[in-house]
Amino acid sequence: MKTLDLVFEKPTELLEPSSNHRGAVPRDIMLVINWQDEEIYAETKDPGDRFIAGTRWAGIEDAYILPSNVNAALLREWVEEEVVPRAQP
């Protein structure tokens, strides 16, 4: 598994205001595991967004909502230590 887009310098780099709630609600932070491409990456999504990526619908990837206080600067280390070993076949 490759960890992509998980290199952040500030702990709060993944915090973004929701576009639907005028900044009152933060966007969901998601850890995505793409089983086909063997990639792990982070993305953000508006909490009210009901869109599901085709790759998730087909079971090619899974996405997990992380707590909004996740330390982005430590995320890659945690993923490499805790998630990657569990994601290996």
Side-chain angles (χ1 to χ4, degrees):
M1 287 277 172
K2 298 173 276 186
T3 54
L4 305 174
D5 301 328
L6 294 179
V7 181
F8 305 104
E9 293 182 18
K10 295 185 286 186
T12 57
E13 280 194 63
L14 286 166
L15 283 177
E16 296 179 23
S18 170
S19 62
N20 295 334
H21 298 93
R22 299 181 188 171
V25 176
R27 293 172 59 94
D28 288 335
I29 300 168
M30 307 190 74
L31 183 69
V32 181
I33 301 173
N34 184 306
W35 301 103
Q36 181 176 328
D37 296 335
E38 297 184 352
E39 297 174 339
I40 300 175
Y41 58 94
E43 70 179 31
T44 62
K45 175 180 164 182
D46 278 328
D49 188 357
R50 300 285 182 229
F51 171 78
I52 298 174
T55 50
R56 287 183 204 150
W57 186 259
I60 295 170
E61 70 180 23
D62 293 316
Y64 304 93
I65 297 176
L66 298 174
S68 60
N69 66 347
V70 66
N71 185 327
L74 299 176
L75 184 59
R76 183 184 187 108
E77 181 180 319
W78 176 79
V79 167
E80 289 176 348
E81 290 176 3
E82 300 291 332
V83 178
V84 171
R86 295 175 185 173
Q88 298 296 344

